[in-house]
Amino acid sequence: MLLTLDQTTVANMTAALEHVCKQIPPEKDSHVVRKAIADAMLVGANSGARSLPQLQEIGFAKLKEIVQPKKRG
């Protein structure tokens, strides 16, 4: 996915990713998890979510999805 993002958005994405990744439980921390969070933020940015709070919200939602997967039943 190739996006043209302004410097402010890139800075917000970087800060949001760092903030969210600090909350990853050690037993779940991996490159795959971090990439999934970053990918979710990229999708959000592509959809217009470019502020720091918006990107953090997207990142935390993805982290929650990873840490607490939906129960099948």
Side-chain angles (χ1 to χ4, degrees):
M1 174 184 317
L2 182 60
L3 299 175
T4 303
L5 300 172
D6 60 84
Q7 287 183 327
T8 301
T9 301
V10 172
N12 286 342
M13 289 176 66
T14 301
L17 183 61
E18 287 180 17
H19 183 71
V20 172
C21 287
K22 287 179 182 178
Q23 304 302 315
I24 300 171
E27 68 277 5
K28 298 280 187 176
D29 197 0
S30 70
H31 174 76
V32 172
V33 169
R34 289 170 180 259
K35 184 175 183 321
I37 294 167
D39 287 346
M41 288 182 186
L42 278 171
V43 170
N46 192 35
S47 298
R50 297 189 172 198
S51 72
L52 181 59
Q54 289 172 317
L55 293 166
Q56 286 177 334
E57 183 178 333
I58 291 166
F60 280 124
K62 187 64 176 181
L63 177 58
K64 182 178 178 184
E65 178 184 312
I66 292 166
V67 173
Q68 300 172 354
K70 294 179 183 176
K71 294 181 181 178
R72 297 178 189 239

